[in-house]
Amino acid sequence: MMNFTADRLLLFGATGDLAQRMLLPSLCALDHDGLLDPELKIVGTARSDMSDAEFRNFARAALEKYLPAGRRGGMADFLNRLSYQPLDATTIEGFDELAKKVGKPQKGLAIFLSTAPSLFEPTIAGLQSAGLAGANVRIGLEKPLGTSLETSEEINDAVASAFSEDRIFRIDHYLGKETVQNLLALRFANIMFEPIWNSNYIEHVQITVAETVGLESRVAYYDDSGALRDMVQNHMLQLLALVAMEPPTSFDSTAVRDEKVKVLRALRPVKDGETVTGQYRAGAIAGKSVPGYDEELGKDSDTETFVAIKAHVDNWRWNGVPFYLRTGKRLPERVTEVVIQFRPIPFSIFEGKGAKTQPNRLVIGIQPEENVHLSLMAKVPGLDREGIRLRPVPLDISMPDAFAGAVKRIAYERLLLDLIVGDQTLFVRRDEVEAQWEWIDGIRAEWTAEAQTPKTYAAGTWGPSAAIALAERDGVTWHDE
């Protein structure tokens, strides 16, 4: 493993949306907290022609817009770390100038690559030609990494031609979220969950990633991608792997990722009738009318903006437990959550007294609120002359309340810091990516074979009615409250 803390950070796509909203604010916040090495220099590169001073002004504007005022202390010192080199990544000529700008790192160089997939191969070739791919260089790759197993392998081969796997950091920003990591703490730091985290006690699992937004600025990308490739292939399958994985032997990158890969390889190929796709039409979100996908796009399209899947993990722990996944745009609320639905108790001693029991349910909220909610059965107070009454009572842990005073960090803060210091635990390994794509490609092939096209749903609803039926056929109701 490459154990060095980089003293140079090279940001590709440094004038893009991600850099403005996430990368520059994250780095400034880390600097404010004293977490960046004093020697770290940050070089931005993109097509735009800018001087160092112009880039610093650009960065200042992004920080003032996107970083909370309380975390902007020492902004001038942070801006002094920045410099900029224009580059057209499609030609090899500019890379020597870029290497000059980066200079010779004392310890090592970390590269963050946030570019269009078509630029991956020429960029890697350019980095190699300019001596920016040596043993003391590691690279972070932002998605999308291909649109299928085949295209993903091409990109991975191109990167592997210059960088060994222990120097490649594939980013899934969901893994940087505090609650996603808390999922592991919940499972593996508490004795009461692991013994019942299996098919004997769990009836089903639901994973929802719902967005209220439509296409916004991602029209061309999204129409080529769709909900399955944009959300399920990466974020949702990573969440599923964390929920379903066996206990790793330690919290290090190899052990954690070995267990995730086993889950992804155990996913049963999806059959006809186990998926529902949808595309939103005009409707209302939060009382405001919004246009349909076809209107935003300006043409008809078969791209899905909603997908629901009934998945199965074929192994000892999860045999017979369905995992219901759903994600979509223009849904009623923005929410990412994991629901663990436990089985009913085997026998109720209270039934003769007229009391009804409900199975326990664990809800792990990831966004917008980070919380853990466990419903337990309790007796309603009273003398019970008419019979005993039971009711579910929530046991709530709100993360911001439980850890008052803790700074709410941007997911990219942790990921950028881990890239700089070289910790791969929260990054995705090549065999994980390829196992994910293999399963996703199987679903797309099934859609093609069945000539499945998206059903329409009104913006502001929970997708097509067929998605409700997908769960209700099994007596399951989606967790929508």
Side-chain angles (χ1 to χ4, degrees):
M1 295 294 283
M2 298 302 303
N3 292 326
F4 64 84
T5 296
D7 56 344
R8 293 283 188 282
L9 176 62
L10 175 56
L11 297 178
F12 278 80
T15 58
D17 185 54
L18 183 70
Q20 292 177 68
R21 287 187 304 110
M22 295 289 174
L23 307 183
L24 292 167
S26 294
L27 290 164
C28 184
L30 290 169
D31 192 33
H32 170 249
D33 292 344
L35 294 168
L36 294 185
D37 188 310
E39 303 302 310
L40 180 73
K41 298 270 184 284
I42 301 167
V43 181
T45 184
R47 276 181 177 238
S48 315
D49 201 7
M50 276 190 204
S51 65
D52 289 352
E54 285 168 331
F55 181 61
R56 285 172 186 152
N57 287 337
F58 170 87
R60 178 185 283 110
L63 297 173
E64 286 169 352
K65 185 171 181 183
Y66 293 110
L67 189 62
R71 304 197 69 201
R72 285 189 216 146
M75 189 155 76
D77 290 339
F78 171 70
L79 293 171
N80 283 336
R81 293 179 185 265
L82 303 180
S83 58
Y84 182 83
Q85 179 66 33
L87 176 76
D88 176 356
T90 60
T91 64
I92 213 148
E93 283 75 44
F95 280 89
D96 285 337
E97 287 302 310
L98 181 64
K100 271 190 212 152
K101 192 75 169 194
V102 169
K104 195 156 178 58
Q106 295 301 304
K107 299 170 191 164
L109 166 65
I111 299 171
F112 186 102
L113 200 54
S114 170
T115 55
S118 60
L119 293 176
F120 265 111
E121 289 192 48
T123 302
I124 298 295
L127 289 170
Q128 265 188 302
S129 76
L132 291 173
N136 67 335
V137 183
R138 63 175 72 102
I139 189 164
L141 307 174
E142 183 60 58
K143 73 160 191 139
L145 293 179
T147 55
S148 62
L149 177 59
E150 187 184 355
T151 54
S152 170
E153 284 175 335
E154 281 171 25
I155 289 172
N156 279 318
D157 286 346
V159 180
S161 69
F163 295 89
S164 54
E165 183 63 34
D166 64 338
R167 295 189 288 127
I168 301 171
F169 289 62
R170 293 175 196 80
I171 290 158
D172 185 323
H173 71 264
Y174 264 52
L175 298 179
K177 290 180 183 292
E178 202 63 60
T179 333
V180 172
Q181 294 157 55
N182 241 316
L183 187 53
L184 294 177
L186 193 75
R187 285 192 59 192
F188 303 128
N190 297 291
I191 191 71
M192 72 273 274
F193 288 119
E194 196 50 33
I196 59 169
W197 207 263
N198 55 54
S199 59
N200 293 330
Y201 297 95
I202 292 175
E203 185 184 77
H204 72 263
V205 176
Q206 297 180 26
I207 301 175
T208 294
V209 179
E211 299 181 284
T212 54
V213 296
L215 282 181
E216 295 183 306
S217 60
R218 304 170 74 219
V219 176
Y221 160 72
Y222 195 86
D223 198 54
D224 288 342
S225 169
L228 185 71
R229 291 191 283 208
D230 184 46
M231 274 292 183
V232 182
Q233 184 273 330
N234 39 74
H235 304 328
M236 297 191 80
L237 285 184
Q238 284 292 317
L239 286 175
L240 185 151
L242 293 174
V243 169
M245 68 195 268
E246 295 298 318
T249 52
S250 65
F251 191 60
D252 73 33
S253 59
T254 303
V256 170
R257 299 190 299 179
D258 282 352
E259 297 306 337
K260 284 197 290 172
V261 166
K262 288 179 195 171
V263 172
L264 296 166
R265 288 186 179 145
L267 283 167
R268 182 191 304 171
V270 169
K271 298 198 288 285
D272 183 28
E274 291 183 329
T275 64
V276 172
T277 57
Q279 191 186 91
Y280 64 84
R281 287 293 175 265
I285 302 271
K288 288 188 182 148
S289 60
V290 295
Y293 182 81
D294 49 346
E295 295 168 77
E296 285 185 87
L297 195 61
K299 61 177 185 183
D300 286 342
S301 165
D302 278 345
T303 300
E304 78 287 355
T305 63
F306 174 95
V307 62
I309 304 169
K310 180 182 175 183
H312 296 271
V313 178
D314 282 341
N315 63 16
W316 190 302
R317 183 181 290 255
W318 296 110
N319 184 48
V321 178
F323 285 72
Y324 298 95
L325 315 179
R326 65 171 173 173
T327 183
K329 290 191 171 296
R330 292 290 190 214
L331 299 183
E333 58 182 303
R334 175 175 172 258
V335 61
T336 299
E337 66 180 15
V338 176
V339 177
I340 310 293
Q341 180 67 58
F342 292 96
R343 294 192 184 280
I345 54 170
F347 173 76
S348 172
I349 63 169
F350 303 104
E351 206 168 287
K353 297 285 187 183
K356 295 225 174 353
T357 58
Q358 292 178 26
N360 303 121
R361 173 182 275 181
L362 179 68
V363 180
I364 300 154
I366 292 163
Q367 64 184 25
E369 302 302 321
E370 299 191 333
N371 51 40
V372 178
H373 171 114
L374 177 63
S375 69
L376 301 171
M377 293 306 296
K379 178 184 169 298
V380 177
L383 296 174
D384 311 320
R385 298 301 88 196
E386 306 299 316
I388 290 175
R389 285 185 304 143
L390 301 176
R391 177 174 100 200
V393 174
L395 212 113
D396 275 322
I397 305 164
S398 166
M399 290 301 161
D401 294 349
F403 299 100
V407 177
K408 186 170 170 57
R409 294 194 178 276
I410 308 164
Y412 277 94
E413 288 182 56
R414 179 181 305 275
L415 298 174
L416 284 164
L417 196 56
D418 284 353
L419 173 64
I420 290 165
V421 302
D423 183 348
Q424 288 185 308
T425 308
L426 298 176
F427 295 82
V428 185
R429 206 165 60 192
R430 176 169 184 164
D431 51 357
E432 283 181 78
V433 175
E434 294 181 351
Q436 289 170 191
W437 273 123
E438 199 168 325
W439 192 68
I440 294 295
D441 284 358
I443 294 173
R444 293 187 63 79
E446 180 66 40
W447 290 353
T448 303
E450 300 297 328
Q452 184 170 327
T453 54
K455 297 170 167 56
T456 59
Y457 63 97
T461 65
W462 282 105
S465 55
I468 298 165
L470 178 72
E472 292 204 333
R473 279 202 302 270
D474 304 330
V476 171
T477 304
W478 288 105
H479 181 254
D480 287 343
E481 63 265 20

